[in-house]
Amino acid sequence: MQTLLTRLEEMYLLVIWELKDNAYGVSIRKQLYTRTGRQVSYGGLYFTLDQLVKKGLAEKTESKPTGGRGGRRRFYYLLTPAGNKALREVYAHQNRLWNGIDDMAIN
């Protein structure tokens, strides 16, 4: 059974995959902006990340507080095997859809 992803979920999972061990809220938000030009609010960011965790597509781990006064913990995100599989399925699906479409036909 194919896992259906929204475009937003796909973007988030791709960014988490790209950032590897450095995928935490701020870095994900910055990379989304770099890749798409879309500024995401922190509320929207964490809501979508929580949805990915609930769906089993990503997992969330908590770091120790950062050094210095008032150090905060970071929450890191990693793809689960299900998230990795969902991305591979989306990629294959998009390739099948675009296969045979002439680039000039869309203009």
Side-chain angles (χ1 to χ4, degrees), residues 79-90:
L79 289 185
T80 62
N84 200 322
K85 181 182 178 205
L87 279 178
R88 286 192 317 270
E89 289 173 352
V90 165

Side-chain angles (χ1 to χ4, degrees), residues 3-99:
T3 303
L4 297 177
L5 297 175
T6 66
R7 279 290 195 202
L8 189 62
E9 290 170 335
E10 180 184 353
M11 287 188 306
Y12 276 59
L13 290 175
L14 283 169
V15 166
I16 291 169
W17 173 82
E18 182 179 27
L19 291 172
K20 310 246 185 289
D21 292 338
N22 197 35
Y24 64 96
V26 173
S27 67
I28 293 169
R29 185 173 183 254
K30 285 180 183 177
Q31 191 64 8
L32 282 168
Y33 180 75
T34 299
R35 293 299 222 155
T36 67
R38 295 174 75 178
Q39 190 75 320
V40 179
S41 71
Y42 282 106
L45 172 78
Y46 288 110
F47 176 81
T48 302
L49 289 171
D50 286 344
Q51 293 301 309
L52 292 172
V53 170
K54 285 179 185 174
K55 289 181 176 185
L57 301 172
E59 63 182 35
K60 177 180 173 180
T61 59
E62 187 175 356
S63 74
K64 293 184 172 154
T66 57
R69 189 173 161 190
R72 300 178 56 122
R73 287 176 273 212
R74 287 183 177 165
F75 292 98
Y76 288 90
Y77 296 86
L78 291 169
L79 289 185
T80 62
N84 200 322
K85 181 182 178 205
L87 279 178
R88 286 192 317 270
E89 289 173 352
V90 165
Y91 180 76
H93 181 73
Q94 288 296 322
N95 281 337
R96 284 191 304 273
L97 283 172
W98 284 96
N99 188 26

